[in-house]
Amino acid sequence: MADEQGSTEEGEQVSGSDDDTPQGATGLLSALLSQLNLQRSQGAAETAEAVKEKPPQVLETLDIEGVAKYIEDGKAKNIVIMTGAGISTSAGIPDFRSPSSGLYDNLQKYNLPTPQSMFEIGFFMSNPEPFYTLARELYPGKFKPTPCHYFMQLLSKKGLLLRHFTQNIDTLDRMAGLPGHKIVEAHGSFHVSHCLGDCKREYSEQWMKDKIFEEQVEVVRCEDCGGLVKPDIVFFGEAMPDDFHPRVKEDLPKCDLAIIMGTSLVVQPFASLIDRVPRECPRLLINMEKSGQADPFMQMLGLGRGMDFDSEDNYRDVAWIGTCDDGCFELAKLLGWKDELDTLIKNGHGEFDAKKQEAAQASQTKDSTKETQAEKQEAGSQGSSAGSEDNSDKGHPPDIEETKKEE
């Protein structure tokens, strides 16, 4: 295909003409249609070839029991997990898209065109207050990781997890103990913030947290240039994080089991990851409904195979319908890991509660110290004022009229 400069041979032929007549436009359209037809033909041929050369079924049965047996037999050594918001709903994180959640209602005073507008970079630059209001609701540290997050940690401890690709910004996987190098945050997170102004200064998670909660600022601005400071969350209209594409290219060809949880698989380019694993790689979807299924039109164009749960040609795709937590518990039970998972959850939630209580006590102590200091300052100010009045009376000469009366 031609690039923007028309550097390819075909591009030079199309864009090199000075003909601005309808015939020239027709020629350009004809060339583009021919190219599209060629791609469609190639895609159809590849699809037909794929059906013809369908890999053998590697799972004994196309169900969660078959996936458990596959793992138990040691065939899954490089598991890749892909997740969406569904793995965090049981933690109590509100769904900002739902008018019934209360969060959407709280943001209506900002006249959002749609709930998603707060994640559009153009809207944020002109009206940043809604995002910071949302940040106070969703900021890491307010919610406990779910059983699903601890199941991923269990896979990592057993040396079976290659990578966790997530669309979530809540960092609950990190809180559950999953090492940072195992995580690819496709849509960014609150972990680091940057100035969007001229200086591009980096700020820590704690700095941003202090601004949002301690200082209660409506808009967070850079200390150097005054530009808006935003957590490194990928908004619509922004590029993916630097590590996303290299990890996709390096990790997915190695994947021998893909587990997809809590996502509708509609947001690109994340949704396309399911087609980047090897053709013989089994894929397990744990979700409240089937998602990511093959689009016949896209298949015809050779632009993605999608999931195939129900056709006779299915040889690797499994759908487990239910909550992500229940799906992980079921898989852990089938693998004989249920007690280990329960222990991880109990210990993890215990540590979370202890840290939260410690933070609350520290905050209470800090507030008490501030109040004491304020009271001392006020008392000192009053004492100074009273002393000043006394000194003023003692040093003032007697009134002239009073002196005359005494005489």
Side-chain angles (χ1 to χ4, degrees), residues 141-214:
K142 297 183 67 175
F143 304 95
K144 293 180 183 179
T146 69
C148 194
H149 293 98
Y150 287 108
F151 179 76
M152 292 189 285
Q153 163 67 339
L154 185 56
L155 285 175
S156 179
K157 288 182 67 174
K158 292 182 177 293
L160 302 178
L161 180 67
L162 175 60
R163 208 76 60 199
H164 173 216
F165 287 83
T166 183
Q167 300 172 87
N168 298 339
I169 61 174
D170 52 39
T171 69
L172 291 183
D173 44 6
R174 292 176 183 268
M175 292 175 61
L178 198 61
H181 69 274
K182 290 287 185 182
I183 305 168
V184 176
E185 292 160 329
H187 295 167
S189 73
F190 284 93
H191 195 56
V192 176
S193 298
H194 280 88
C195 170
L196 300 183
D198 295 333
C199 72
K200 311 300 180 188
R201 178 176 169 180
E202 180 175 305
Y203 290 94
S204 69
E205 180 179 352
Q206 188 60 49
W207 181 90
M208 176 62 77
K209 188 173 183 179
D210 288 344
K211 288 290 181 183
I212 291 176
F213 290 101
E214 296 292 329

Side-chain angles (χ1 to χ4, degrees), residues 14-26 28:
V14 172
S15 62
S17 172
D18 293 327
D19 187 1
D20 292 328
T21 64
Q23 288 86 351
T26 302
L28 176 60

Side-chain angles (χ1 to χ4, degrees), residues 104-112 133:
Y104 180 88
D105 295 332
N106 292 339
L107 294 170
Q108 285 310 293
K109 63 182 178 180
Y110 296 110
N111 297 318
L112 294 178
T133 300

Side-chain angles (χ1 to χ4, degrees), residues 73-372:
D73 290 344
K75 296 177 181 178
K77 299 178 181 178
N78 291 297
I79 298 174
V80 172
I81 297 179
M82 308 171 193
T83 63
I87 70 167
S88 297
T89 53
S90 67
I93 294 179
D95 179 3
F96 73 92
R97 292 181 179 86
S98 173
S100 62
S101 69
L103 182 57
Y104 180 88
D105 295 332
N106 292 339
L107 294 170
Q108 285 310 293
K109 63 182 178 180
Y110 296 110
N111 297 318
L112 294 178
T114 68
Q116 296 93 315
S117 295
M118 71 184 77
F119 288 127
E120 294 173 355
I121 189 63
F123 183 85
F124 173 80
M125 295 300 289
S126 62
N127 187 14
E129 290 92 341
F131 170 77
Y132 293 115
T133 300
L134 176 72
R136 290 187 186 93
E137 297 289 337
L138 301 183
Y139 213 87
K142 297 183 67 175
F143 304 95
K144 293 180 183 179
T146 69
C148 194
H149 293 98
Y150 287 108
F151 179 76
M152 292 189 285
Q153 163 67 339
L154 185 56
L155 285 175
S156 179
K157 288 182 67 174
K158 292 182 177 293
L160 302 178
L161 180 67
L162 175 60
R163 208 76 60 199
H164 173 216
F165 287 83
T166 183
Q167 300 172 87
N168 298 339
I169 61 174
D170 52 39
T171 69
L172 291 183
D173 44 6
R174 292 176 183 268
M175 292 175 61
L178 198 61
H181 69 274
K182 290 287 185 182
I183 305 168
V184 176
E185 292 160 329
H187 295 167
S189 73
F190 284 93
H191 195 56
V192 176
S193 298
H194 280 88
C195 170
L196 300 183
D198 295 333
C199 72
K200 311 300 180 188
R201 178 176 169 180
E202 180 175 305
Y203 290 94
S204 69
E205 180 179 352
Q206 188 60 49
W207 181 90
M208 176 62 77
K209 188 173 183 179
D210 288 344
K211 288 290 181 183
I212 291 176
F213 290 101
E214 296 292 329
E215 301 180 25
Q216 291 287 313
V217 296
E218 291 187 1
V219 176
V220 181
R221 293 196 174 275
C222 178
E223 295 175 344
D224 290 343
C225 72
L228 290 170
V229 178
K230 179 180 77 66
D232 286 0
I233 296 167
V234 178
F235 281 17
F236 295 111
E238 290 189 304
M240 302 295 279
D242 292 340
D243 64 340
F244 178 75
H245 292 293
R247 283 299 183 193
V248 167
K249 186 176 181 180
E250 181 180 346
D251 293 340
L252 296 191
K254 301 176 185 176
C255 177
D256 47 28
L257 173 61
I259 301 178
I260 304 100
M261 297 190 286
T263 173
S264 57
L265 290 173
V266 295
V267 178
Q268 296 292 354
F270 193 91
S272 67
L273 298 188
I274 59 172
D275 287 323
R276 301 292 294 272
V277 300
R279 292 181 60 236
E280 65 275 8
C281 173
R283 303 182 295 190
L284 168 64
L285 174 73
I286 299 176
N287 202 36
M288 292 299 292
E289 60 185 9
K290 293 178 181 178
S291 61
Q293 290 172 283
D295 185 321
F297 179 72
M298 297 298 283
Q299 278 188 319
M300 183 179 68
L301 294 177
L303 300 176
R305 297 182 295 276
M307 306 287 276
D308 179 14
F309 302 114
D310 304 317
S311 82
E312 295 179 356
D313 295 323
N314 181 22
Y315 62 95
R316 61 168 175 168
D317 292 336
V318 175
W320 192 92
I321 305 302
T323 69
C324 296
D325 290 345
D326 287 345
C328 289
F329 276 127
E330 179 66 17
L331 195 52
K333 184 178 74 173
L334 291 169
L335 289 164
W337 301 350
K338 180 68 165 52
D339 290 343
E340 292 178 78
L341 180 57
D342 287 340
T343 300
L344 272 180
I345 296 170
K346 181 180 178 181
N347 292 342
H349 284 181
E351 290 177 10
F352 178 90
D353 290 337
K355 287 180 180 178
K356 194 169 183 179
Q357 185 175 6
E358 184 180 338
Q361 290 174 345
S363 178
Q364 203 171 31
T365 301
K366 188 176 180 180
D367 291 340
S368 298
T369 302
K370 285 182 179 179
E371 289 178 6
T372 302

